[in-house]
Amino acid sequence: MFENLSDRLERSFKILKGEGKITEINVAETLKDVRRALLDADVNYKVAKQFTDTVKAKALGMDVLTSVKPGQLMVKIVHDELATLMGGEAVDVQISGNPAIILMSGLQGSGKTTFSGKLANLMKNKRSKKPLLVAGDVYRPAAIEQLKVLGEQIQVPVYTEEGNKNPVQIAQNAIKQARQDGNDLVIIDTAGRLAIDEQMMQEIKAIKDAVNPQEILFVVDSMTGQDAVNTAKEFNDRLDFTGVVLTKLDGDTRGGAALSIRTVVNKPIKFVGTGEKMEALDVFHPARMADRILGM
Amino acid sequence: AGKSKVGDEILDDLEEVLITSDVGVETTLRIIERIEKRVSRDKYVNTSELKSMLREEIAALLTENNIEDVPEFTIATDKKPYVIMVVGVNGVGKTTTIGKLAYQFKKAGNSVYLGAADTFRAAAVEQLVIWGERVGVPVIKQKMGSDPASVAFDTLSSAKANNADVVIIDTAGRLHNKINLMNELSKIKKVMEKVIPGAPHEVLLVLDGSTGQNAFEQAKQFTAATEVNALAITKLDGTAKGGVVIGISDQFKTPVKYIGLGEGIEDLQIFRRKEFVDSLFGDE
Ligand SMILES: Nc1nc2c(ncn2[C@@H]2O[C@H](COP(=O)(O)OP(=O)(O)OP(=O)(O)O)[C@@H](O)[C@H]2O)c(=O)[nH]1
Ligand SMILES: Nc1nc2c(ncn2[C@@H]2O[C@H](COP(=O)(O)OP(=O)(O)OP(=O)(O)O)[C@@H](O)[C@H]2O)c(=O)[nH]1
Ligand SMILES: [K+]
Ligand SMILES: [Mg+2]
Ligand SMILES: [Mg+2]
């Protein structure tokens, strides 16, 4: 789709070398290539700027100018910096409460309901948990039915209250039910909402306050563009979420939103969605994501 | 007093506005280049002239070959039924847009048939059935997992037999890099042609307004598989600007027909270039 960053940098440095004098100005010039690659990958405008400033300082400190293969070294610096920013130590999902409660949040269509099913499936099969899925989306046509179908597929019970339009109550009742039935993990699906929808943002905050979840996951479509920062920031300001789920990574998007979100809210990316099936779930690999953003 | 040259600062601001609206680097550079050219020709330019110039240039990129915006929710009367096939990646708003479109067409006095050819995603059929009930139009369906081409066939046959005006076929969301799924789409399309020559008359690609540069690849691959000839951009009621559509519309010469502005039945509008361009700059 776009030219690979390493090819681009190799080319730039070759031209520079031909001129026989590689200077600080030349580094700045190649940083334009880095910035362009980031913007092509949907990294936010301001985040990209900030990132290239950091890389510039690193590059000058690491003698890129005199190295034999400046292009390669530059790519390495960029790549490692990206991976570091998105990584840190891996943070596991919190399932220690009894029941442990996990709340989903995010924009419309990001993949919350599908991920709720996937997570329940994973917890049941790999962590010997007894999850209960909760149908907390009372708005979208057939949202409850969708979760029920998924629950059936993975053999996990789904708590529903057809006709009740109050997701706070539904969540509270579901937890009572979980205690009765011995479910040690409650996963609450919620309706998609825009960060600027005041009423809907208050609603999800009310769910949080009522059930006090160990985990609040922000589920985001990896194809998201520049707006990812605004949305992530707003959801985080409201909910102080505990982690991010990046969906639809089975596509060919470069996924720069991952870097933007990580930079703006500094919360770990805990899972990635890699397909529509209930098994299509993976843990997050920062180095792979760095490769992807750079188109490598 | 005016300036004969666009200052660097103004250009930087411009770049920021365009990039943060998802216009993309390439299209942004092209727009800026065109403006610089015009400014050097037109000599005196003040800031407000510059702004209107910018709006003109962007509007021009939104399909130069398609001067008029589509006037209303109308359909070609010489095609009966007029068949629309709706395609796009997962979760962009296809099914919802179909519900809203059906509402508009019905309101305009047309008889509308919907086809539930998403037989894959959990409760996709139920979702469309609920929209059909809301609008008061029939939904042709089969059971989950059945062949989507067969659903499309049934829907078109039914619509034809009942002398319907409009048919809208829902399809399962699919990522454009999945070859098998894209081939399936081509097959669904071919089957329609067999029932009604020339169908589908409209292949509507739905793009999520918050999608970034990947929308280009979506447009490319869906166009290759199904000859997309109209675009809808959804979720513009949020803070995302949907600027990527400027470059797409220009490159593929595909007009944007509709924009989605919410989850309600009335939250669909005809795309208006001027309003869209104004919304990028957040004023007027
Ligand atoms: N290819 C792919 N599709 C996915 C993935 N995750 C979810 N989807 C699809 O994306 C679409 C939307 O997913 P949902 O789970 O319904 O999204 P949601 O956030 O619950 O949507 P709302 O409830 O309407 O806000 C569906 O077609 C899913 O099958 C993924 O990782 N890869
Ligand atoms: N805010 C907002 N939400 C929208 C708009 N259009 C659709 N949605 C929401 O986006 C989510 C996904 O919409 P769907 O119509 O199910 O999307 P789809 O493309 O059919 O999804 P799949 O069939 O799973 O691929 C739902 O929650 C819709 O209510 C819009 O214009 N604005
Ligand atoms: K908007
Ligand atoms: Mg959902
Ligand atoms: Mg659908």
Side-chain angles (χ1 to χ4, degrees):
Chain A
M1 177 158 55
F2 302 103
E3 191 187 2
N4 186 312
L5 178 67
S6 13
D7 295 346
R8 227 186 253 171
L9 288 183
E10 286 301 339
R11 196 166 34 79
S12 309
F13 274 107
K14 222 172 256 160
I15 297 166
L16 298 176
K17 280 222 151 159
E19 288 173 358
K21 46 174 184 124
I22 302 175
T23 66
E24 188 168 334
I25 296 163
N26 298 145
V27 172
E29 198 57 38
T30 60
L31 284 171
K32 275 192 189 161
D33 286 333
V34 175
R35 180 170 168 270
R36 166 83 194 251
L38 295 175
L39 293 176
D40 283 346
D42 293 318
V43 173
N44 175 266
Y45 186 82
K46 289 205 174 75
V47 173
K49 203 167 220 161
Q50 192 182 323
F51 182 84
T52 43
D53 287 346
T54 314
V55 167
K56 182 181 179 184
K58 291 238 155 110
L60 293 173
M62 282 176 76
D63 289 338
V64 169
L65 307 177
T66 54
S67 79
V68 189
K69 295 211 160 105
Q72 273 177 26
L73 183 55
M74 192 71 172
V75 169
K76 187 177 167 358
I77 293 169
V78 171
H79 180 274
D80 291 354
E81 183 63 19
L82 268 178
T84 309
L85 269 178
M86 287 185 300
E89 65 267 43
V91 190
D92 196 13
V93 63
Q94 279 299 317
I95 47 168
S96 53
N98 197 13
I101 299 165
I102 302 180
L103 178 66
M104 299 299 159
S105 68
L107 294 179
Q108 287 93 347
S110 61
K112 297 172 295 299
T113 305
T114 307
F115 176 70
S116 300
K118 289 177 182 180
L119 185 62
N121 190 44
L122 179 84
M123 289 299 153
K124 177 181 163 229
N125 295 334
K126 300 272 158 73
R127 301 282 190 95
S128 313
K129 283 277 165 186
K130 284 183 68 188
L132 176 67
L133 283 161
V134 183
D137 177 356
V138 300
Y139 307 102
R140 170 173 162 166
I144 297 174
E145 188 57 31
Q146 185 186 0
L147 196 64
K148 276 201 212 160
V149 171
L150 297 179
E152 186 112 333
Q153 270 176 32
I154 58 173
Q155 293 293 299
V156 166
V158 179
Y159 183 87
T160 66
E161 286 186 34
E162 314 270 351
N164 186 350
K165 292 284 170 202
N166 183 342
V168 179
Q169 266 177 16
I170 295 172
Q172 287 171 318
N173 295 341
I175 291 160
K176 280 186 212 140
Q177 185 77 43
R179 290 213 171 94
Q180 270 175 30
D181 298 350
N183 296 107
D184 52 7
L185 174 63
V186 175
I187 298 173
I188 306 170
D189 184 25
T190 60
R193 64 201 74 224
L194 295 171
I196 52 169
D197 188 334
E198 184 55 33
Q199 210 178 333
M200 289 296 284
M201 291 307 281
Q202 275 177 18
E203 179 198 84
I204 196 161
K205 176 71 165 59
I207 301 176
K208 176 190 171 177
D209 292 345
V211 304
N212 196 21
Q214 276 78 12
E215 282 280 354
I216 302 172
L217 297 175
F218 177 63
V219 181
V220 61
D221 186 324
S222 58
M223 295 175 275
T224 309
Q226 295 285 318
D227 190 55
V229 286
N230 305 326
T231 308
K233 189 172 179 310
E234 197 61 35
F235 272 81
N236 193 47
D237 285 352
R238 291 296 187 116
L239 296 173
D240 191 17
F241 57 69
T242 54
V244 177
V245 178
L246 212 53
T247 64
K248 309 178 197 175
L249 268 180
D250 45 325
D252 58 4
T253 186
R254 300 266 285 269
L259 177 68
S260 303
I261 293 172
R262 190 62 217 231
T263 307
V264 170
V265 300
N266 196 27
K267 295 285 169 70
I269 300 170
K270 294 197 169 176
F271 292 102
V272 302
T274 57
E276 297 192 71
K277 302 231 169 78
M278 286 296 99
E279 297 74 32
L281 185 63
D282 204 349
V283 293
F284 179 67
H285 300 282
R288 274 193 222 163
M289 196 67 214
D291 282 348
R292 186 176 181 129
I293 291 175
L294 298 175
M296 293 161 59
Chain B
K3 284 197 263 178
S4 60
K5 221 170 128 280
V6 192
D8 282 349
E9 207 174 301
I10 296 181
L11 287 184
D12 280 352
D13 286 350
L14 196 56
E15 185 195 72
E16 179 166 357
V17 170
L18 293 173
I19 297 282
T20 55
S21 302
D22 289 315
V23 170
V25 178
E26 201 172 306
T27 310
T28 295
L29 292 178
R30 270 183 50 211
I31 292 170
I32 290 179
E33 213 170 274
R34 283 166 69 138
I35 287 179
E36 283 181 310
K37 253 191 209 136
R38 271 182 67 167
V39 170
S40 68
R41 198 175 60 220
D42 297 356
K43 290 201 188 87
Y44 290 107
V45 177
N46 60 37
T47 311
S48 91
E49 280 169 321
L50 184 69
K51 273 190 185 159
S52 64
M53 211 180 259
L54 177 63
R55 281 157 209 254
E56 281 167 33
E57 289 298 336
I58 295 175
L61 286 179
L62 287 160
T63 58
E64 286 171 340
N65 54 351
N66 190 54
I67 297 149
E68 298 294 320
D69 291 331
V70 185
E72 273 309 320
F73 287 97
T74 47
I75 43 158
T77 45
D78 58 331
K79 292 165 186 109
K80 191 177 162 79
Y82 184 74
V83 180
I84 305 171
M85 177 185 186
V86 179
V87 301
V89 300
N90 307 82
V92 289
K94 294 175 292 299
T95 307
T96 308
T97 302
I98 290 169
K100 296 170 182 175
L101 267 179
Y103 169 75
Q104 292 293 345
F105 289 137
K106 188 179 179 214
K107 203 168 78 173
N110 300 293
S111 66
V112 184
Y113 271 66
L114 302 181
D118 179 354
T119 59
F120 177 73
R121 210 215 58 226
V125 176
E126 286 86 343
Q127 186 187 3
L128 190 70
V129 166
I130 292 174
W131 274 106
E133 281 164 5
R134 277 185 186 174
V135 179
V137 297
V139 176
I140 307 299
K141 59 178 192 204
Q142 294 179 13
K143 60 176 193 305
M144 283 300 286
S146 51
D147 177 13
S150 159
V151 178
F153 184 92
D154 280 2
T155 311
L156 265 61
S157 307
S158 239
K160 201 170 139 186
N162 291 289
N163 207 23
D165 298 307
V166 189
V167 180
I168 315 177
I169 302 291
D170 192 13
T171 62
R174 66 200 73 218
L175 294 174
H176 50 280
N177 59 340
K178 308 213 163 152
I179 295 162
N180 290 343
L181 296 179
M182 295 307 278
N183 287 342
E184 178 190 83
L185 221 46
S186 312
K187 188 186 150 205
I188 300 172
K189 182 171 177 266
K190 276 202 197 97
V191 165
M192 293 191 208
E193 164 91 49
K194 286 197 186 125
V195 190
I196 298 169
H201 308 99
E202 183 168 320
V203 179
L204 180 67
L205 173 66
V206 181
L207 298 171
D208 183 325
S210 61
T211 304
Q213 300 309 297
N214 193 248
F216 263 102
E217 211 54 31
Q218 294 172 24
K220 190 170 159 196
Q221 301 306 338
F222 277 98
T223 300
T226 62
E227 298 168 79
V228 170
N229 57 12
L231 303 173
I233 327 166
T234 60
K235 308 183 193 176
L236 287 182
D237 46 327
T239 40
K241 297 287 175 61
V244 68
V245 79
I246 295 169
I248 290 175
S249 185
D250 179 48
Q251 186 176 326
F252 299 94
K253 300 294 170 223
T254 310
V256 184
K257 268 183 114 165
Y258 309 111
I259 59 171
L261 291 166
E263 300 183 79
I265 199 164
E266 298 198 335
D267 295 331
L268 187 75
Q269 286 180 13
I270 297 286
F271 178 76
R272 308 251 178 251
R273 274 188 293 184
K274 189 180 172 308
E275 285 169 27
F276 179 77
V277 175
D278 287 347
S279 79
L280 291 183
F281 302 97
D283 56 2
E284 276 168 59

